Amino acid sequence: MISKNLMKYVRSLEQKKARKQEGLFVAEGTKVVGDLLSVMPPTRLIAVEEWYRQNGIIPKASDVVVTEDELRRVSFLQHPQQVMALFPLPEGSKDTDLREREYFSSSASNLFIALDGIQDPGNLGTIIRIADWFGISTLFCSHDTADAYNPKVVQATMGSIARVKVIYTDLVTLFAQVPDDIPVYGTFLDGTNIYQQPLSPNGIIVMGNEGKGISKEVAAHINRRLLIPSYPEGRVTADSLNVAIATAITCSEFRRQSPRR
């Protein structure tokens, strides 16, 4: 049985301020919780009895066995999936002054993604999932990008948040410290056709805000401008692609041109 105080506490973690204050975030569903359990211990599990039994888990004193109705009342999902858990925020999720150069010291074959002002939680969660699929283990996010540990973002990652490190930092400061031999890519309407130029197995792929694109301050540090062309050439089409879809297309072409590692 879940108490009113615990229910109120869990619901408060929908807010970024509460998550930072408590150092916790909420994950829901067997897939998401299961993937996170493989890399970090939760501070609390809240699940129906059947879930504990199916997974061979004996509830600890801090864990809670609930009915499906109680889970619906505390859940952030329209259709709850037997389990939710509170996990500690990873250190990399906190705003911090990075020693960025350390991330690129051995990046001869590493790709990174940098997100400049992505606002929609669903887009951010999907991009984290895309990064996981294409073997990109680190995302750099501007401070005005949505919080990766928002319940909607966590759910949209479908467990990939367990494998992708998300770091919030000032992107201009980041790029100022990137070694000269590491290319910085970005997608622009005046860029070069992504399918008509060689792409390196390493570098940083910058994706911009849903409405404004990549900011001028960040764009000044991009030395490889890419275009995802529409088809056929000259035909009137949509004004732009959804940023998550554009990220998937871009990452796919990078991996197509590079041998699987």
Side-chain angles (χ1 to χ4, degrees):
M1 180 176 182
I2 188 168
S3 68
K4 290 183 178 180
N5 285 340
L6 179 56
M7 188 178 298
K8 183 178 179 181
Y9 180 74
V10 172
R11 298 294 302 183
S12 74
L13 295 175
E14 184 175 17
Q15 304 301 317
K16 182 178 180 179
K17 180 179 179 181
R19 290 193 296 273
K20 292 184 70 173
Q21 180 177 322
E22 300 298 326
L24 297 172
F25 70 97
V26 179
E28 294 193 65
T30 296
K31 177 69 170 69
V32 179
V33 172
D35 283 2
L36 284 165
L37 284 173
S38 70
V39 297
M40 68 175 74
T43 62
R44 179 167 294 180
L45 290 169
I46 301 171
V48 298
E49 185 176 356
E50 182 182 357
W51 183 87
Y52 285 108
R53 185 171 61 254
Q54 289 175 343
N55 289 276
I57 296 175
I58 299 175
K60 300 177 183 177
S62 60
D63 296 338
V64 182
V65 179
V66 294
T67 64
E68 291 187 2
D69 181 63
E70 288 175 321
L71 190 62
R72 277 194 293 270
R73 287 161 57 198
V74 72
S75 174
F76 295 103
L77 302 179
Q78 185 175 1
H79 303 289
Q81 302 173 35
Q82 290 196 320
V83 60
M84 70 188 314
L86 307 186
F87 288 95
L89 286 173
E91 286 299 316
S93 69
K94 300 175 182 177
D95 295 347
T96 182
D97 294 325
L98 295 171
R99 296 178 179 177
E100 284 89 355
R101 189 169 291 273
E102 294 180 0
Y103 284 89
F104 307 111
S105 60
S106 60
S107 59
S109 61
N110 288 345
L111 273 178
F112 302 88
I113 294 176
L115 303 181
D116 183 19
I118 300 300
Q119 297 293 298
D120 184 80
N123 282 338
L124 177 55
T126 302
I127 290 171
I128 293 171
R129 188 176 178 183
I130 289 165
D132 186 26
W133 180 262
F134 286 106
I136 299 172
S137 59
T138 302
L139 264 67
F140 296 106
C141 295
S142 63
H143 292 305
D144 59 344
T145 291
D147 182 15
Y149 294 92
N150 177 310
K152 293 180 180 179
V153 177
V154 174
Q155 187 64 28
T157 72
M158 289 303 293
S160 291
I161 194 71
R163 292 175 292 274
V164 177
K165 187 171 186 178
V166 182
I167 300 170
Y168 286 82
T169 189
D170 182 272
L171 293 185
V172 173
T173 300
L174 171 73
F175 295 135
Q177 298 191 45
V178 173
D180 294 338
D181 61 342
I182 295 181
V184 181
Y185 296 89
T187 54
F188 298 89
L189 291 177
D190 62 352
T192 302
N193 190 324
I194 191 172
Y195 303 117
Q196 296 177 356
Q197 66 169 309
L199 302 174
S200 64
N202 70 325
I204 305 173
I205 300 168
V206 183
M207 305 305 296
N209 174 269
E210 290 90 343
K212 300 177 182 178
I214 298 170
S215 65
K216 292 181 179 179
E217 295 80 7
V218 171
H221 293 271
I222 293 173
N223 49 40
R224 305 285 194 280
R225 298 170 72 92
L226 304 174
L227 166 70
I228 299 173
S230 58
Y231 290 89
E233 185 176 356
R235 175 178 173 271
V236 176
T237 63
D239 291 337
S240 62
L241 287 171
N242 170 274
V243 65
I245 292 174
T247 301
I249 293 170
T250 302
C251 291
S252 179
E253 182 60 14
F254 268 87
R255 292 312 194 198
R256 187 190 71 82
Q257 292 192 26
S258 301
R260 181 169 293 207
R261 295 179 183 274

